[in-house]
Amino acid sequence: MGISTFFRAPIADNIFDVDIGLIGIPFDGAVSNRPGTRHGPRAIREQSSMLRAINSATKNQPFKNLYIADLGDIFIESTFDLVSAHNEIEKYFDSILIKNIIPIAIGGDHSISLPILRAMRKTIDKPLALIHIDAHCDTGYGDTYSYAKFTHGSPFYHATEEGLINPHKTIQIGIRGTLNDINQWNYSYDSGMRVVTIDEFYELGWKEISNICSDLIDKDYPTYLSFDIDSIDPSEAPGTGTPEAGGITVKEAIWFLRSLNRHNFIGADLVEVAPQWDPSYLTAFNAASILFEILCLVSKGKKI
Ligand SMILES: [Mn+2]
């Protein structure tokens, strides 16, 4: 009944009461390859309506004690001006965070993480830790990547340079694929981020990677989770702009996310679903399932 929302959650009637806000960001103004992530939030909403409220494996019931609401899609006016669009996104998150709402953003291309992190950084006294699951490091910049300053391939370069995230408490997981430039992701290594290639992910296994996350980031440290759907193998998530062969499975992603329950997540995003490249809706459905695990993680231990 009613109109489509994330997990059939209520549309917030009084935003001041919301504990966790599910926020769509329909934006693809910064993509390098196939467009379409502006359609991601609505496709994930629709598929998420098939999921139930209880996590059978972890017994989490995120909706039981918290007011989790769909805050709708951000309306971005300056879609042809990337910097202005990012400023609009940042202002929106400022308005959410001042009400103590924990944000989970549904993109949108990966450039949206930058304005979200800019807003989040103003609410805490130190750079955030980051757990970043992706096929790409997204730290390309300047002459190693497209010569443009802001793209969906550069948010974590800027987030580090602007002091939003602590590179020594940043881990990037699932990295693979082809490059434009041999030095494209040097910044991740040079700045001290822990880069886990897909080969290392399978050599060590997801449990060991989870232990590395725990060693790197104290359990109370404010941590942001960014999940790019292109971390998943294209056989299970073809609906994305920059697919890379040989990724993790949805099952591994879900197991791995559940294992991160020791961390203090203060916000999260799920990005890069471009549903029109996948007429089966499988990508959006898998994204909705991953989003539910993220919701369980973020809601864990939070007050009423
Ligand atoms: Mn990415």
Side-chain angles (χ1 to χ4, degrees):
M1 295 290 282
I3 65 170
S4 179
T5 65
F6 291 113
F7 308 113
R8 304 186 305 280
I11 297 167
D13 45 7
N14 185 350
I15 206 168
F16 285 94
D17 295 333
V18 172
D19 296 307
I20 296 177
L22 300 162
I23 301 152
I25 309 182
F27 185 70
D28 55 11
V31 298
S32 56
N33 195 355
R34 308 189 299 190
T37 55
R38 72 181 66 185
H39 303 295
R42 293 189 178 190
I44 296 169
R45 266 194 193 91
E46 190 177 321
Q47 296 302 310
S48 73
S49 68
M50 285 194 276
L51 303 183
R52 275 78 66 187
I54 302 170
N55 190 319
S56 69
T58 63
K59 313 301 180 204
N60 279 63
Q61 301 182 54
F63 297 95
K64 195 174 176 188
N65 296 317
L66 296 168
Y67 182 18
I68 298 167
D70 189 332
L71 304 189
D73 288 348
I74 298 182
F75 177 68
I76 298 167
E77 279 188 270
S78 39
T79 47
F80 297 112
D81 180 340
L82 186 54
V83 171
S84 299
H86 283 173
N87 287 341
E88 288 181 54
I89 295 169
E90 181 183 345
K91 282 199 181 79
Y92 176 86
F93 277 81
D94 287 339
S95 75
I96 292 300
L97 294 167
I98 205 165
K99 299 179 179 74
N100 290 320
I101 296 170
I102 299 169
I104 299 179
I106 297 92
D109 71 49
H110 220 153
S111 76
I112 63 166
S113 299
L114 181 61
I116 296 170
L117 287 167
R118 282 174 178 155
M120 300 211 66
R121 177 67 177 83
K122 291 175 223 165
T123 68
I124 53 168
D125 59 359
K126 55 193 169 190
L128 281 74
L130 173 69
I131 297 178
H132 170 211
I133 304 164
D134 199 329
H136 315 99
C137 287
D138 289 0
T139 50
Y141 71 104
D143 58 5
T144 69
Y145 188 71
S146 82
Y147 297 93
K149 191 169 183 189
F150 299 106
T151 72
H152 76 150
S154 67
F156 303 117
Y157 164 76
H158 296 290
T160 307
E161 289 291 301
E162 294 178 22
L164 314 177
I165 59 171
N166 180 342
H168 301 286
K169 294 185 184 301
T170 292
I171 181 164
Q172 308 187 294
I173 300 158
I175 307 305
R176 63 186 190 276
T178 50
L179 295 169
N180 299 310
D181 187 292
I182 191 81
N183 299 315
Q184 192 172 324
W185 293 332
N186 280 5
Y187 185 83
S188 288
Y189 296 93
D190 295 346
S191 65
M193 296 179 184
R194 179 68 169 88
V195 179
V196 179
T197 64
I198 197 70
D199 305 279
E200 191 179 10
F201 184 88
Y202 281 105
E203 275 165 29
L204 296 182
W206 60 268
K207 287 182 186 169
E208 186 53 31
I209 306 301
S210 181
N211 290 335
I212 292 171
C213 292
S214 297
D215 291 344
L216 207 60
I217 305 166
D218 297 337
K219 67 177 170 49
D220 296 327
Y221 200 94
T223 302
Y224 190 80
L225 176 66
S226 188
F227 193 105
D228 189 324
I229 200 68
D230 68 30
S231 60
I232 303 293
D233 191 82
S235 61
E236 291 186 289
T240 191
T242 319
E244 304 288 356
I248 62 174
T249 66
V250 172
K251 189 167 21 183
E252 288 160 339
I254 288 173
W255 285 338
F256 178 66
L257 286 170
R258 286 176 186 159
S259 79
L260 298 177
N261 61 6
R262 294 160 285 192
H263 293 282
N264 172 28
F265 290 110
I266 61 168
D269 62 47
L270 171 62
V271 297
E272 295 285 349
V273 172
Q276 75 282 3
W277 302 107
D278 176 7
S280 74
Y281 308 115
L282 176 65
T283 309
F285 175 72
N286 282 333
S289 304
I290 288 164
L291 185 64
F292 182 70
E293 298 295 336
I294 292 172
L295 179 61
C296 290
L297 268 184
V298 173
S299 63
K300 191 171 170 291
K302 301 295 189 296
K303 59 101 199 156
I304 296 179

